[in-house]
């Protein structure tokens, strides 16, 4: 059996509410629902059961002290010049980068290939396709978005199941941060 897995940080209720409050202003955007809001540390992709168990064990050994994060503006990713997702940024955080590196190291110890994409800390708020309206007005309106810092004291291994109306995420295991 295979599982489509990723590790992520789940922001607390007030941060998710802040993000839901700005979800408007791009025509035909598929706005993320509350249960879809997360900061991906590493997408692992399709993983066989044995490797998934090894990955969970490796993630359980990640040592990292709790730290704080804060929202920092909005932006978007594009493919071939067309926006495909809009996201809320995360302020610079060396502890977050350390956690990311340790999660990456754990994935390699479980036998997964190294991630080739650059880590850009963000929380996706909308999926966009060719029918989506312009993103510039939305970006201008929310460019200075920020929020109170929140404490990160764990990360989660999720299973992602693709559905017609978007992905559904199921938390499989929560890993507390510790030194």
């Amino acid at each position: 059996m295979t599982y489509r897995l990723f590790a992520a940080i789940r922001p607390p209720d007030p941060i998710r509410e802040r993000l839901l409050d700005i979800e408007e202003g791009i025509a035909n955007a598929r706005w993320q629902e509350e249960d879809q809001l997360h900061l991906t540390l590493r997408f692992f992709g399709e993983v066989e059961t044995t490797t998934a168990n090894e990955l969970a064990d490796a993630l359980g050994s990640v040592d990292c002290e709790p730290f704080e994060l804060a929202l920092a503006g909005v932006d978007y990713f594009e493919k071939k010049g067309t926006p495909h997702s809009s996201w809320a940024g995360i302020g610079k955080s060396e502890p977050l980068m350390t956690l990311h590196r340790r999660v990456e190291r754990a994935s390699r110890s479980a036998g997964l290939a190294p991630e080739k994409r650059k880590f850009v800390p963000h929380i996706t708020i909308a999926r966009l396709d060719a029918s989506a309206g312009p993103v510039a007005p939305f970006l201008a309106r929310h460019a200075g978005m920020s929020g109170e810092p929140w404490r990160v004291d764990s990360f989660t291994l999720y299973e992602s199941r693709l559905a017609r109306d978007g992905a559904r995420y199921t938390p499989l295991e929560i890993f507390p941060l510790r030194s």
Side-chain angles (χ1 to χ4, degrees):
M1 183 168 183
T2 62
Y3 302 90
R4 188 171 187 261
L5 302 177
F6 67 95
I9 295 169
R10 177 90 162 130
D13 289 342
I15 301 303
R16 294 192 313 267
E17 289 171 16
R18 173 84 171 102
L19 295 173
L20 292 170
D21 285 346
I22 68 166
E23 288 188 347
E24 62 182 3
I26 303 174
N28 298 320
R30 290 188 331 257
W31 299 102
Q32 297 292 93
E33 296 176 16
E34 183 275 335
D35 62 344
Q36 296 174 310
L37 298 172
H38 63 271
L39 187 163
T40 301
L41 293 166
R42 171 69 150 82
F43 180 72
F44 305 111
E46 297 288 334
V47 177
E48 294 289 335
T49 301
T50 302
T51 303
N53 291 334
E54 291 172 8
L55 176 62
D57 289 345
L59 292 173
S61 69
V62 168
D63 286 331
C64 189
E65 292 185 19
F67 56 92
E68 288 191 342
L69 291 178
L71 297 174
V74 294
D75 209 339
Y76 68 95
F77 291 124
E78 63 182 21
K79 284 184 185 173
K80 299 180 181 176
T82 301
H84 71 81
S85 61
S86 180
W87 46 267
I90 302 296
K92 289 184 180 186
S93 169
E94 188 51 41
L96 173 60
M97 300 309 287
T98 298
L99 176 59
H100 165 70
R101 286 189 298 271
R102 292 178 181 172
V103 167
E104 176 64 26
R105 192 175 313 129
S107 72
R108 289 181 191 185
S109 74
L112 298 174
E115 175 61 73
K116 294 182 180 174
R117 294 172 289 187
K118 179 181 176 190
F119 180 58
V120 178
H122 68 280
I123 300 171
T124 300
I125 55 177
R127 303 286 180 188
L128 311 170
D129 62 20
S131 72
V135 297
F138 174 82
L139 297 178
R141 187 167 46 258
H142 300 291
M145 184 186 69
S146 63
E148 290 295 317
W150 79 88
R151 183 174 170 84
V152 176
D153 56 14
S154 67
F155 68 97
T156 304
L157 178 63
Y158 286 92
E159 180 180 11
S160 172
R161 292 191 178 142
L162 299 178
R164 180 174 285 179
D165 60 342
R168 296 289 170 236
Y169 307 133
T170 303
L172 299 178
E173 191 165 349
I174 297 173
F175 302 98
L177 297 184
R178 64 196 183 288
S179 55

